[in-house]
Amino acid sequence: MTFENSLAFAQEQDKLDPLAHYRQQFHHPVINGQQVLYFTGNSLGLQPKSARDYINSELDEWAKWGVEGHFHGKNPWVSYHEILTPASAELVGANESEVVCMNSLTTNLHLLFVSFYQPDGKRFKIISEAKMFPSDRYLLETQVRHHGFDPDEAIIEIAPREGEFLLREQDILAAIEEHKDELALVFFGGVNYFTGQLFDMKTLTEAAHKAGALAGFDLAHAAGNVPLHLHDWNVDFAAWCSYKYLNGSAGNVAGIFVHDRHGNNTDIKRFGGWWGHDKERRFLMENNFQPMTGAEGWQISNAPVMGMAILKASLDIFAEAGMPRLRKKSLKLTAYLEYIFNQVVAMFPDYQLQIITPTEPEKRGCQLSIKLIGSDKKFFEALTQAGVIADFREPDVIRLSPTPLYNSFEDVYRFGETLRNLLSQSHH
Ligand SMILES: *Cc1c(COP(=O)(O)O)cnc(C)c1O
């Protein structure tokens, strides 16, 4: 469609947007008396206004029942995690048996690696993206060391080619082919946190399997952002956090996916705890760990109900809005941001600001990463001062994520005006 850089156009798009009313269901930060333009749903999602009622309801149950709240009330705590499953499974394209909410992201990845990174003879290598999110990189380093390998030897990083910012799929596939006799695992972020590049998880999974390896994904930047079909793509395992696009609140409970083909195999090695034990026998306090089938068999501890209540509030909104409609809006809103940004930046040829995220809509979610060539963090600080909440990633990238649930076309237009003012001020 043809876009226009005008307030009237942006407002018209908001009027046409069937999801526009969700904006009012979130608290929008007011900083220094100013309602900010919030583009950091990729880092910490906004608070659903309904979250307070969901928590209060569990606080009331606790006050009323004490320990008996595990078995009474509307959502007994003993099975509280189960009420998060249908919406989570829908979000990632999984059977309900393949998904559970538990722990936090990096913790879950370690637990999943216990099961799915099982080096065997000379098959010990992991292929992943260069400049991974640090926590994932530390995960890989410590996992391979745990098995007695040297990270330099065991971790094969695929980097962008000289002078490029994005990974080429053909380079990843070539590396998988090259190392196929030594490969244990292909492990990528579904969407790269730095560039916003969305990987073709189906193709990577197929290639990993063909090489005799497994494929796992960190979906921190993908869950709630892009359509996922983990089951059909045959992905072996995945994990995501809930506080980015899923608006679950800082550090809240995360989610895992284990494909049924593994979940149904209770012989797979794992670290156990009572919440993963056969739930019919959980309270018999007997020896001999018997994991449940499905992703639930990877649970360890009892469910953190208060956090889960917030996540439930948010997942109910996702379930109602639905990923297909969210993605449809997201494609348009992100394209609009790209258009506005390029329009404004073209007015100031002295500045080199460049979007490094793929331009192809099917290769990205809603995040656009902007490289500040020859500029420094001061520009980002000025943007923040002017009421745009984006984020900065060293050394020189600003990330902006217009989320389809609570960002509007008007937000994007206003961002363009802010950017224009800023560039024209520093220009003179
Ligand atoms: C946000 C993020 C994390 C954070 O991990 P936590 O265990 O939740 O602190 C890890 N990996 C990626 C790729 C992320 O984007």
Side-chain angles (χ1 to χ4, degrees):
M1 89 176 276
T2 19
F3 292 130
E4 279 171 38
N5 186 0
S6 75
L7 181 60
F9 176 85
Q11 288 177 336
E12 182 60 26
Q13 302 318 302
D14 286 329
K15 268 203 212 110
L16 295 171
D17 171 15
L19 304 180
H21 62 283
Y22 285 108
R23 181 181 180 82
Q24 277 77 49
Q25 296 188 21
F26 290 84
H27 288 291
H28 291 259
V30 175
I31 299 175
N32 297 329
Q34 185 187 15
Q35 173 147 357
V36 298
L37 297 172
Y38 196 83
F39 291 115
T40 26
N42 59 342
S43 187
L44 188 79
L46 291 181
Q47 181 185 143
K49 289 179 180 167
S50 55
R52 207 171 283 267
D53 283 345
Y54 281 65
I55 293 195
N56 278 339
S57 152
E58 298 314 321
L59 287 172
D60 290 346
E61 298 292 350
W62 184 20
K64 183 169 163 202
W65 294 104
V67 70
E68 290 295 309
H70 281 102
F71 307 102
H72 294 283
K74 204 165 67 184
N75 300 304
W77 303 329
V78 70
S79 53
Y80 200 91
H81 57 279
E82 293 174 12
I83 67 172
L84 304 177
T85 301
S88 302
E90 180 72 29
L91 273 176
V92 299
N95 295 333
E96 291 185 15
S97 52
E98 294 174 317
V99 166
V100 73
C101 290
M102 62 183 206
N103 312 315
S104 50
L105 173 56
T106 312
T107 305
N108 285 339
L109 286 171
H110 275 295
L111 294 174
L112 290 166
F113 268 56
V114 166
S115 299
F116 301 113
Y117 176 57
Q118 300 243 8
D120 182 12
K122 68 180 188 138
R123 220 176 242 295
F124 66 98
K125 293 192 175 174
I126 302 174
I127 288 190
S128 74
E129 70 223 88
K131 295 220 295 168
M132 283 199 114
F133 190 87
S135 201
D136 298 53
R137 174 69 201 186
Y138 306 151
L139 159 96
L140 293 185
E141 289 175 10
T142 53
Q143 281 287 338
V144 301
R145 281 211 184 93
H146 175 70
H147 288 280
F149 300 108
D150 172 2
D152 289 340
E153 212 192 326
I155 305 170
I156 300 155
E157 291 192 323
I158 315 297
R161 292 185 187 181
E162 186 74 32
E164 297 184 3
F165 302 112
L166 303 170
L167 296 190
R168 295 201 192 195
E169 192 176 287
Q170 68 199 91
D171 291 351
I172 307 172
L173 297 176
I176 293 174
E177 175 64 22
E178 184 191 334
H179 296 279
K180 66 176 180 224
D181 296 331
E182 303 165 316
L183 199 60
L185 183 64
V186 172
F187 180 70
F188 270 73
V191 172
N192 180 275
Y193 84 101
F194 191 74
T195 62
Q197 179 174 13
L198 166 60
F199 295 108
D200 182 342
M201 288 171 251
K202 179 170 187 267
T203 300
L204 296 189
T205 301
E206 264 168 26
H209 289 172
K210 204 166 139 236
L214 298 182
F217 295 94
D218 180 332
L219 304 176
H221 282 265
N225 180 22
V226 294
L228 297 165
H229 303 283
L230 300 183
H231 178 86
D232 289 346
W233 294 340
N234 240 342
V235 165
D236 293 288
F237 70 93
W240 55 94
C241 57
S242 67
Y243 47 82
K244 291 172 179 166
Y245 293 103
L246 296 183
N247 314 313
S249 80
N252 200 1
V253 66
I256 67 162
F257 165 87
V258 175
H259 199 286
D260 272 341
R261 113 182 131 260
H262 302 303
N264 289 330
N265 177 1
T266 48
D267 292 336
I268 291 183
K269 284 189 198 164
R270 69 192 78 195
F271 286 173
W274 71 327
W275 234 247
H277 189 71
D278 176 2
K279 74 176 168 185
E280 308 307 329
R281 311 186 66 80
R282 190 182 287 153
F283 295 97
L284 299 181
M285 307 309 192
E286 57 197 4
N287 285 352
N288 297 322
F289 176 59
Q290 275 302 327
M292 274 185 272
T293 55
E296 290 189 355
W298 271 263
Q299 293 175 105
I300 291 187
S301 294
N302 75 94
V305 167
M306 293 304 147
M308 284 184 168
I310 304 181
L311 183 55
K312 175 72 172 133
S314 177
L315 289 178
D316 282 353
I317 298 174
F318 269 94
E320 188 188 283
M323 265 322 278
R325 288 200 301 165
L326 286 165
R327 175 63 169 171
K328 191 169 173 219
K329 173 175 174 186
S330 180
L331 288 168
K332 184 170 156 189
L333 191 62
T334 304
Y336 190 50
L337 176 61
E338 184 178 40
Y339 161 85
I340 292 281
F341 176 83
N342 286 332
Q343 268 246 327
V344 171
V345 162
M347 298 174 203
F348 303 95
D350 289 0
Y351 287 90
Q352 287 202 41
L353 302 177
Q354 183 194 343
I355 296 175
I356 59 170
T357 305
T359 48
E360 304 94 316
E362 70 283 1
K363 291 191 180 160
R364 67 186 187 198
C366 69
Q367 173 181 320
L368 294 181
S369 301
I370 295 161
K371 198 171 170 63
L372 310 169
I373 300 163
S375 185
D376 55 21
K377 206 178 166 181
K378 285 209 185 72
F379 178 77
F380 170 73
E381 283 158 1
L383 206 56
T384 311
Q385 280 292 315
V388 175
I389 307 299
D391 73 9
F392 187 79
R393 284 292 175 262
E394 295 292 347
D396 57 0
V397 161
I398 293 178
R399 306 184 306 171
L400 291 165
S401 299
T403 68
L405 260 183
Y406 49 73
N407 283 118
S408 63
F409 290 85
E410 185 170 335
D411 284 345
V412 169
Y413 167 77
R414 291 196 185 280
F415 163 74
E417 286 304 280
T418 309
L419 182 66
R420 190 161 64 84
N421 283 335
L422 216 62
L423 291 175
S424 61
Q425 278 162 25
S426 32
H427 203 56
H428 299 294

